Amino acid sequence: MQSKLQDGNIIICGYVARDAELKSTQTGKSLCRWSVKVGERQNGEQKEAIWVNCQAWHGAARAASAKKKGDTVLAVGKMDISEYEGKTYKNLVCEFVSI
């Protein structure tokens, strides 16, 4: 599920594709990355998964790092959509992550 709020933030809810990865930058800031399957769309006769790549910083990163493959996650943040070699990539910079 994906929904847009009045302030421009996006809410996503779905299943975590693989364990979240927590890293620290050289300046000591926490960064966590993971992917979420938010739904499916019909592409001809086949169903195609809709994926969102997520990243969180600081406290939200530490909370998100507990997410494991198959967990359900609810996240709120700003969406950045980009295209590369004919594919569309959705990236969500999370301000809130449910634990």
Side-chain angles (χ1 to χ4, degrees), residues 16-36:
V16 177
R18 56 184 158 80
D19 294 354
E21 297 177 28
L22 180 64
K23 297 182 180 186
S24 293
T25 64
Q26 292 178 345
T27 58
K29 296 178 182 176
S30 299
L31 168 64
C32 187
R33 292 186 173 146
W34 70 99
S35 295
V36 178

Side-chain angles (χ1 to χ4, degrees), residues 2-14:
Q2 177 177 319
S3 184
K4 188 172 184 177
L5 299 174
Q6 289 179 345
D7 65 357
N9 280 328
I10 301 290
I11 298 174
I12 65 162
C13 184

Side-chain angles (χ1 to χ4, degrees), residues 5 8-9 14 20 22 27 29 36-37 40 42 56 61 64 75 86 88-89 93 95-96 99:
L5 299 174
N9 280 328
L22 180 64
T27 58
K29 296 178 182 176
V36 178
K37 180 182 177 187
E40 295 178 340
Q42 194 73 28
T88 302
Y89 295 91
V93 179
E95 297 170 8
F96 170 83
I99 51 174

Side-chain angles (χ1 to χ4, degrees), residues 35-51:
S35 295
V36 178
K37 180 182 177 187
V38 296
E40 295 178 340
R41 69 175 145 236
Q42 194 73 28
N43 189 5
E45 294 181 15
Q46 298 179 357
K47 287 187 177 180
E48 184 178 296
I50 301 171
W51 295 96

